[in-house]
Amino acid sequence: MIKKILIANRGEIACRVIKTAKKMGIATVAVYSDADANALHVKMADEAVHIGPAPSSQSYIVIDKILEAIQKTGADAVHPGYGFLSENAAFAQALEKAGVVFIGPPVGAIEAMGDKITSKKLAAKAGVSTVPGHMGLIEDADEAVKIASQIGYPVMIKASAGGGGKGMRIAFNEAEAREGFQSSKNEAKSSFGDDRIFIEKFVTQPRHIEIQVLGDKHGTILYLGERECSIQRRNQKVIEEAPSPFLDEATRHAMGEQAVALARAVGYHSAGTVEFIVDGERNFYFLEMNTRLQVEHPVTELVTGIDLVEQMIRVASGEKLSLAQGDVKLNGWAIESRLYAEDPYRNFLPSIGRLTRYRPPGEGAQDSGTVIRNDTGVFEGGEISMYYDPMIAKLCSWGKDRETAIDAMGEALDRFEVEGIGHNLPFLSAVMQHERFRSGRLTTGFIAEEFPEGFSGIEPDETAARKLSAIAAIVNQRLQSRAVEISGTIGNHRRIVGHDWVVSFGAFRHGISVETVADGTAVRFEDGMALTIDTGWRPGQSLGLFTVAGEVIAAKVDLAGAAVRLRWRGMDILARVRSPRVAELALLMPEKLPPDTSKLLLCPMPGVITGISVGEGEEVEAGQALATVEAMKMENILRAEKRGRVVRVAAKPGDSLAVDEVILEFE
């Protein structure tokens, strides 16, 4: 058995591997860059080795530095995690030459499946259904446009060595094909050091469903069910679940058998994933094979009870799988939500900074019979760096059926506290409440179709608004009651706490009175409706549990000046609780308008300017590319919203800009 594992990765996956290794009594070694000196995976490991500067190209993906760390610590095995060197055949070969166990598949499988062009040819040869496309290399944008026209739009432009949504674009016309080819090529080169591109047909009404495979070195290969990964944005998975609400048993079996056939064709062992695109008629087409552990592996673990990292370690040690295909059972339902450092209110652009608050919900079995799991690599007070993937955590829920798992996820998201950076918690909460998601009518276009103008929060309906008004009134009442007990808060007269208030936010305005009743507090609305509220919330608590008319609501509570900010289920409101007279006068106040920034191009996120496409005095048209900003390994092209003339270029390539710094100024 392996004695010491070096994890050639960072973040939550490194922490995940360390947990299983410790459970198995195996020592662990972490590697870290300058930016990760105080990272969680460094603290968790038995040993840690510094391997270079913050950029991954100078640290985590430099094979020689990993080999030096192995030699220094005496590790006899390496777990590559996912990303970085996990699918690098040269790395696996270097480990083999050094006599170090690679906890992953054989080199031949990595080479064959890591190259998407080769993998498609092998898949077709193994009898696996494949998507129509051009498997040869494409030299330039003109050739890309020609090939795309032959296949028929829409097409998917993909990096051959890509993964994780990097180097991937969808084109619906010639202009998008030309631009997408160049962007994919640039992204692929910076992320993988390989700018080869191929094009294939983009399947309409597509679902992204993948099969988890697991094999040993003795010829046994199993499939462990599927994962539905259709909720995506920019080709990056956001929410995954197991099993899929769409597959029937026959399709599941057929996909599983084809996945196993492909794995067998390349002599695969260890954990791996075969990804398929499935259309509305349950026709499925091979997409790619990831020869590594996947980000979304926890949902498979939750429904099968199999620790995939443990199995990878045992397989790498030469052990036979203790399971047969008939032993694999799918029990219940699991959901995974990826918590990203991306601001949903700014088109999901990356956000960096310090986690001033990070309080995940309690893990393990819950009173409701559900299970909560949170895989993370961060901690309160830690820094979110611009150099790496923006993932903060992977929150998972398990329930006896899909509806139970979704409800458990919704509650867990409500109780998850993250402050200091922009993050997508409100968006994830909104999806959990979305009727289309709850009904299982998913496609990879879900986000684009349901949030075409981006995410601006969820507007409460009348029922939700009354609940939030009642909570705001109780919060205000307790704040007022505390203020009365503190001398000097208001001088010269005795402070009396009223019972009649007007709560206003957005389009809602509720006249209410707060009354004490036998089972707690009642909030009575001016139309006679009353809601009973019971809560242990006290001033200063950022998360409050409120039982409103028998429903437990976990709401995040903040004070924003004189207003009460409440966040719940993707809703984010600023409630002003005023006395009736003050509320009457407030209606007469003029509304303050935001500053006019229509003549400025502002940096939408912290990042590096990699290109300015226009100069001073130049006329620009609506939709024209103006500048390119790169952050967290993603390239973002900024375009003109309308016709205009550039009067000032305030930034140049190579500049690091903060959010809302000026790039261009227009006439």
Side-chain angles (χ1 to χ4, degrees):
M1 175 60 76
I2 291 164
K3 303 294 183 188
K4 185 187 286 188
I5 297 174
L6 182 143
I7 301 108
N9 220 295
R10 62 176 301 282
E12 52 85 18
I13 180 56
C15 298
R16 163 72 188 91
V17 174
I18 290 169
K19 285 179 182 177
T20 288
K22 284 189 173 180
K23 183 180 73 175
M24 298 175 70
I26 300 171
T28 55
V29 179
V31 292
Y32 65 94
S33 68
D34 289 349
D36 281 337
N38 297 311
L40 185 60
H41 74 281
V42 175
K43 298 178 188 295
M44 288 178 63
D46 298 306
E47 299 174 65
V49 180
H50 177 255
I51 55 170
S56 56
S57 59
Q58 300 173 43
S59 52
Y60 291 106
I61 61 174
V62 181
I63 294 174
D64 288 344
K65 291 189 175 183
I66 303 295
L67 293 174
E68 284 173 21
I70 294 167
Q71 192 175 20
K72 189 181 295 183
T73 58
D76 58 342
V78 170
H79 195 299
Y82 37 71
F84 294 148
L85 297 171
S86 61
E87 295 177 286
N88 189 310
F91 180 54
Q93 284 173 330
L95 292 177
E96 189 178 325
K97 188 177 178 181
V100 178
V101 176
F102 179 66
I103 304 175
V107 172
I110 297 173
E111 288 177 331
M113 294 294 104
D115 186 305
K116 292 182 174 58
I117 294 172
T118 305
S119 69
K120 296 237 181 243
K121 293 177 179 177
L122 280 169
K125 191 176 178 181
V128 180
S129 306
T130 56
V131 181
H134 181 83
M135 295 295 106
L137 295 179
I138 302 166
E139 293 300 324
D140 53 35
D142 290 333
E143 189 182 353
V145 168
K146 184 180 176 182
I147 290 165
S149 301
Q150 290 170 351
I151 295 171
Y153 294 101
V155 296
M156 179 80 81
I157 301 167
K158 299 175 77 173
S160 182
K166 305 292 188 301
M168 195 183 288
R169 296 289 189 278
I170 298 169
F172 289 87
N173 52 54
E174 287 191 10
E176 290 180 3
R178 187 177 300 279
E179 189 179 274
F181 174 82
Q182 198 56 54
S183 286
S184 292
K185 199 174 181 72
N186 295 343
E187 235 172 60
K189 190 172 183 178
S190 64
S191 295
F192 312 107
D194 184 343
D195 64 356
R196 294 175 299 155
I197 300 295
F198 72 101
I199 299 177
E200 65 185 13
K201 180 72 176 175
F202 181 66
V203 178
T204 55
Q205 293 187 334
R207 286 174 175 259
H208 189 138
I209 300 176
E210 59 192 30
I211 301 290
Q212 177 71 60
V213 295
L214 178 65
D216 61 22
K217 296 178 181 179
H218 306 276
T220 301
I221 303 176
L222 314 174
Y223 66 92
L224 309 182
E226 81 280 2
R227 294 186 289 258
E228 173 87 55
C229 307
S230 298
I231 307 294
Q232 303 180 1
R233 185 189 46 72
R234 299 184 190 136
N235 304 304
Q236 178 72 56
K237 300 163 188 173
V238 179
I239 295 169
E240 301 98 357
E241 58 185 299
S244 165
F246 186 62
L247 294 192
D248 54 24
E249 191 55 48
T251 311
R252 177 178 295 114
H253 177 73
M255 291 174 71
E257 289 296 314
Q258 286 199 16
V260 168
L262 179 60
R264 200 173 296 284
V266 292
Y268 200 87
H269 59 73
S270 193
T273 303
V274 182
E275 303 195 356
F276 294 91
I277 289 292
V278 185
D279 68 18
E281 304 298 317
R282 293 197 180 95
N283 299 307
F284 56 90
Y285 306 97
F286 172 74
L287 188 62
E288 63 182 336
M289 182 176 190
N290 290 306
T291 55
R292 54 174 166 81
L293 195 65
Q294 290 277 98
V295 176
E296 55 273 21
H297 76 274
V299 291
T300 296
E301 293 185 330
L302 285 168
V303 297
T304 62
I306 298 169
D307 184 328
L308 289 172
V309 173
E310 180 182 345
Q311 294 300 321
M312 290 178 77
I313 294 170
R314 293 191 180 282
V315 167
S317 300
E319 294 185 16
K320 290 183 177 180
L321 289 176
S322 58
L323 297 163
Q325 190 62 61
D327 300 322
V328 179
K329 307 293 183 187
L330 304 183
N331 174 38
W333 215 283
I335 308 283
E336 176 179 290
S337 294
R338 299 191 187 190
L339 176 57
Y340 284 121
E342 296 176 336
D343 191 341
Y345 304 107
R346 302 178 72 94
N347 197 29
F348 297 92
L349 291 172
S351 177
I352 61 175
R354 190 169 299 282
L355 285 166
T356 56
R357 195 171 189 86
Y358 179 78
R359 307 281 174 87
E363 293 189 72
Q366 308 296 301
D367 293 340
S368 61
T370 59
V371 175
I372 298 298
R373 170 175 167 176
N374 187 53
D375 286 20
T376 188
V378 303
F379 55 90
E380 189 167 291
E383 194 96 18
I384 303 298
S385 169
M386 69 178 288
Y387 295 103
Y388 310 117
D389 189 277
M391 187 182 292
I392 300 170
K394 301 182 312 192
L395 182 65
C396 303
S397 65
W398 177 92
K400 61 180 177 26
D401 52 42
R402 188 170 186 266
E403 187 177 349
T404 305
I406 292 173
D407 289 342
M409 175 61 71
E411 290 174 18
L413 289 167
D414 284 342
R415 297 175 187 235
F416 207 140
E417 296 182 79
V418 182
E419 307 293 347
I421 59 165
H423 55 79
N424 67 335
L425 259 180
F427 176 75
L428 296 171
S429 291
V431 173
M432 291 302 131
Q433 310 306 319
H434 200 288
E435 184 276 331
R436 180 176 164 187
F437 175 76
R438 295 184 72 90
S439 65
R441 295 181 289 110
L442 311 178
T443 70
T444 55
F446 175 89
I447 292 176
E449 292 161 9
E450 299 301 323
F451 303 92
E453 303 301 318
F455 181 76
S456 55
I458 299 297
E459 290 298 321
D461 58 17
E462 180 63 32
T463 303
R466 288 186 179 245
K467 292 174 183 176
L468 291 169
S469 287
I471 291 170
I474 294 299
V475 168
N476 175 72
Q477 196 82 5
R478 296 207 170 175
L479 289 169
Q480 296 281 334
S481 298
R482 184 187 66 166
V484 169
E485 297 172 1
I486 303 172
S487 62
T489 54
I490 291 185
N492 304 321
H493 65 86
R494 186 166 63 92
R495 184 80 176 265
I496 299 174
V497 180
H499 295 282
D500 296 325
W501 305 96
V502 176
V503 182
S504 58
F505 55 90
F508 298 96
R509 192 171 185 271
H510 296 127
I512 60 174
S513 68
V514 181
E515 307 168 357
T516 301
V517 295
D519 51 351
T521 305
V523 174
R524 191 171 301 279
F525 292 79
E526 55 193 350
D527 61 1
M529 177 188 174
L531 293 173
T532 58
I533 297 185
D534 185 33
T535 180
W537 182 85
R538 293 180 295 177
Q541 291 181 334
S542 55
L543 179 68
L545 297 180
F546 304 87
T547 304
V548 183
E551 178 188 2
V552 178
I553 292 175
K556 298 175 184 77
V557 182
D558 295 300
L559 300 182
V564 178
R565 184 187 182 194
L566 298 174
R567 287 172 288 171
W568 173 57
R569 291 188 174 177
M571 294 172 271
D572 190 341
I573 68 155
L574 280 177
R576 301 189 182 276
V577 186
R578 303 179 173 107
S579 68
R581 178 56 178 158
V582 173
E584 188 181 331
L585 295 172
L587 293 174
L588 305 176
M589 295 293 289
E591 188 177 342
K592 187 178 179 181
L593 298 174
D596 182 14
T597 59
S598 61
K599 294 184 178 181
L600 301 173
L601 176 67
L602 304 177
C603 190
M605 62 185 176
V608 177
I609 301 292
T610 57
I612 301 287
S613 307
V614 294
E616 290 185 6
E618 191 173 326
E619 295 281 345
V620 299
E621 300 293 333
Q624 183 178 336
L626 303 175
T628 306
V629 184
E630 192 174 294
M632 291 180 167
K633 302 190 291 185
M634 293 294 288
E635 184 180 79
N636 295 273
I637 299 172
L638 309 181
R639 302 180 182 281
E641 292 182 355
K642 58 184 179 182
R643 187 176 181 181
R645 187 172 72 86
V646 180
V647 295
R648 185 169 72 97
V649 179
K652 62 183 185 299
D655 287 356
S656 292
L657 301 187
V659 174
D660 288 341
E661 278 200 65
V662 178
I663 301 173
L664 300 174
E665 189 176 338
F666 301 95
E667 191 175 61

